[in-house]
Amino acid sequence: KRRTVQCGSVGFYVKNDFMTSVTVEEKNSTEHYVWIRITGEHGSRDRYLCSVYMPSNITTKKYEKIVNSLHRSTKKFSQKGEVTTTR
């Protein structure tokens, strides 16, 4: 079964076996990001993942706006579960 979520140019590929454990928590097509939650099993905390698209022609002002928005979201989701970030 395929689920479609519109969110600019970002997304996640989720294997069908995990579809019941994954929820879109926050999407922001203006800021080009989407957060998903993977439900924790056996008493473990939920895990939150974010996918971000940074356009190559982005202005400094827009970059700072996206980073500030992501910082607020990261802080919010860190209070609810584990946040996984990459560089």
Side-chain angles (χ1 to χ4, degrees), residues 6-52:
Q6 297 293 324
C7 190
S9 300
V10 299
F12 283 93
Y13 175 80
V14 179
K15 189 175 178 181
N16 283 343
D17 297 352
F18 300 107
M19 289 303 291
T20 59
S21 301
V22 176
T23 307
V24 174
E25 286 294 307
E26 181 177 307
K27 57 185 176 177
N28 188 322
S29 56
T30 304
E31 304 302 333
H32 304 286
Y33 67 81
V34 61
W35 282 90
I36 64 169
R37 174 176 51 95
I38 302 172
T39 305
E41 294 180 359
H42 310 295
S44 64
R45 295 180 72 185
D46 293 345
R47 182 165 303 275
Y48 294 86
L49 306 170
C50 183
S51 178
V52 183

